[in-house]
Amino acid sequence: MSKPVRVAMIGLGFGAEFIPIYQAHAGAEVVAICRRNEVELNKAADQFGIEKRFTDYADLLADPDIDYVHINSPIPDHAWMSLQALDAGKHVMCTVPMATTIDECRQIVEKVKETGLKYMMAETVVYSREFLFIKQMYESGELGKIQHLAASHPQDMDGWPSYWEEMIPMHYATHVVSPCLGLTNALAEYVSCFGSGEVRESIAKKSGNRFAVESCHLKLKDSDLSAHIWRFLYDVARQYRESFDVYGTKKSFEWTLIENEPHVLHTAKKPEPEIAEKIEVPDFAHLLPAEIQKFTLPSEIHDAGHLSFVQGGGHGGSHPHLVHEMVSAVSEDRDPWPNAVTSANWTCVGLCAHESATKGGEIVKLPEFTLQS
């Protein structure tokens, strides 16, 4: 067996959920963890039996025993932490979004090309059981020709950390962009987005955004397909939903309107009352090494009260799939999925969409560096 990939975990709120997965994976080893709060750092390190503990990120990056960093820090830290890690010769897996500006996305893409290191944005949706189920139907031909894609991510962020009040809805859109593009392995070419309604003044001042809802159409490159996505963070009455709908010539999949209820599959040319049927989506743990298959189950989430899981359905069992993809990519010396260019395209869709919304729906093209897959 090849030498285990040595991982450092950065951020130990949501990030701590990944440590037991790495520790169970035969091809990986968590060699260090990093958190600013030393008391919480030591608590986590003691809990998981990890010797190397850092409160200073620069000190961690100087450690030659680390192959890659898995970044789960607050959103404003994603870009600079990724760039510093790449400069230090470390591969990077970073939670979403890749960055908060187009220029930061460009810098990461250029740095990956310059260094030859691996970068993966840890987008949970494209490794969720629902997405894997739909992708299996698509690849087997069961859906027929895809005709349209849609996704929504309504979420009330009151009660979350205060930095969310500075966030613009479409700047955190990868959970709806990624399935619409990832299903057919496409990239977005251009977008048109409208803002609707308005948030309360305190949120508008902090974020610089007055729109309550942002609704975007995106054109898939080299395809006859378009997709519709929409997003909100504050001041709209709606239960959390992270949906993905796919419309094909043979079958169509629609996400349930109410969390934890069955999804709906529509089959063409049946008698009208029989077209729609409620379905239960199976788990896809069988795609994983045996030792980490159990981590697709909600019972393995050790902090089930974390808002990220309460308002996220346990992330669809995606965590062990993300770990396995990045560990495998480093071990096999190949690009992970999504790689840096794809991650940039998915992230920049939302950044370009907000720009479009501020211009009344004007078409905004994705930057060229996000189209060179």
Side-chain angles (χ1 to χ4, degrees):
M1 235 182 126
S2 61
K3 191 176 178 183
V5 175
R6 299 164 301 180
V7 186
M9 184 61 62
I10 317 302
L12 297 172
F14 163 51
E17 297 294 336
F18 290 90
I19 294 174
I21 305 173
Y22 282 115
Q23 290 180 324
H25 196 297
E29 178 186 2
V30 181
V31 296
I33 59 175
C34 183
R35 187 170 186 171
R36 296 177 180 94
N37 184 318
E38 191 167 8
V39 172
E40 294 300 319
L41 170 72
N42 287 326
K43 189 187 297 184
D46 291 344
Q47 178 185 355
F48 295 110
I50 297 167
E51 184 181 339
K52 291 187 178 182
R53 311 167 184 196
F54 296 88
T55 56
D56 188 302
Y57 186 54
D59 290 343
L60 179 143
L61 293 180
D63 189 329
D65 292 333
I66 295 167
D67 296 316
Y68 85 79
V69 295
H70 183 159
I71 298 169
N72 287 283
S73 55
I75 289 171
D77 297 331
H78 291 181
W80 72 262
M81 281 191 157
S82 295
L83 288 165
Q84 286 190 11
L86 292 166
D87 277 333
K90 314 298 185 189
H91 305 291
V92 174
M93 177 153 76
C94 182
T95 191
V96 301
M98 182 186 219
T100 56
T101 69
I102 288 173
D103 188 58
E104 288 171 334
C105 291
R106 180 186 290 107
Q107 288 179 54
I108 294 170
V109 168
E110 289 174 352
K111 188 66 67 176
V112 167
K113 286 180 180 175
E114 174 191 320
T115 61
L117 294 163
K118 318 298 180 197
Y119 175 94
M120 177 182 174
M121 184 172 72
E123 173 51 67
T124 56
V125 172
V126 294
Y127 287 98
S128 68
R129 59 181 66 89
E130 288 87 357
F131 181 84
L132 295 172
F133 175 69
I134 296 166
K135 191 169 180 66
Q136 178 179 271
M137 285 197 297
Y138 167 65
E139 291 179 344
S140 70
E142 195 175 343
L143 297 176
K145 181 188 183 303
I146 303 298
Q147 301 286 39
H148 184 60
L149 304 140
S152 71
H153 187 183
Q155 185 172 16
D156 182 357
M157 301 303 293
D158 280 323
W160 283 70
S162 59
Y163 72 78
W164 281 97
E165 296 177 357
E166 301 171 12
M167 184 63 66
I168 291 165
M170 276 294 167
H171 283 192
Y172 188 80
T174 63
H175 290 332
V176 281
V177 174
S178 62
C180 291
L181 296 176
L183 183 66
T184 61
N185 241 352
L187 296 171
E189 184 178 5
Y190 56 84
V191 301
S192 173
C193 182
F194 287 94
S196 182
E198 58 183 11
V199 290
R200 58 192 182 267
E201 191 172 344
S202 61
I203 299 293
K205 280 184 176 179
K206 289 179 181 178
S207 66
N209 166 65
R210 72 180 188 278
F211 303 127
V213 178
E214 292 188 310
S215 177
C216 173
H217 274 90
L218 57 121
K219 177 69 174 65
L220 277 63
K221 185 175 181 287
D222 301 324
S223 171
D224 60 3
L225 289 175
S226 68
H228 173 237
I229 60 174
W230 62 272
R231 199 68 185 91
F232 73 69
L233 300 174
Y234 293 97
D235 297 340
V236 184
R238 179 64 169 89
Q239 182 189 40
Y240 177 93
R241 187 175 186 240
E242 208 174 283
S243 76
F244 177 44
D245 301 330
V246 182
Y247 298 91
T249 52
K250 295 180 181 178
K251 290 184 179 179
S252 297
F253 177 97
E254 287 187 329
W255 202 275
T256 179
L257 287 171
I258 300 174
E259 192 75 11
N260 299 319
E261 290 195 357
H263 302 298
V264 179
L265 195 65
H266 300 262
T267 303
K269 311 309 178 190
K270 281 189 170 185
E272 193 66 27
E274 299 174 21
I275 290 174
E277 60 175 316
K278 294 180 178 180
I279 59 164
E280 296 292 338
V281 172
D283 195 45
F284 276 76
H286 64 277
L287 300 180
L288 297 164
E291 68 269 18
I292 62 169
Q293 288 181 0
K294 69 177 183 178
F295 292 104
T296 64
L297 302 175
S299 60
E300 292 301 321
I301 295 171
H302 83 272
D303 183 8
H306 195 289
L307 273 173
S308 181
F309 303 110
V310 174
Q311 294 186 342
H315 294 165
S318 61
H319 293 181
H321 293 281
L322 291 167
V323 166
H324 185 56
E325 173 63 10
M326 186 62 182
V327 169
S328 299
V330 173
S331 299
E332 298 163 13
D333 191 22
R334 62 168 175 83
D335 261 2
W337 188 73
N339 66 9
V341 172
T342 300
S343 300
N345 188 265
W346 292 358
T347 300
C348 287
V349 165
L351 300 173
C352 292
H354 179 66
E355 180 186 341
S356 172
T358 64
K359 296 177 178 178
E362 182 180 307
I363 286 177
V364 176
K365 293 182 178 179
L366 271 290
E368 191 64 30
F369 74 90
T370 73
L371 303 175
Q372 306 300 322
S373 59

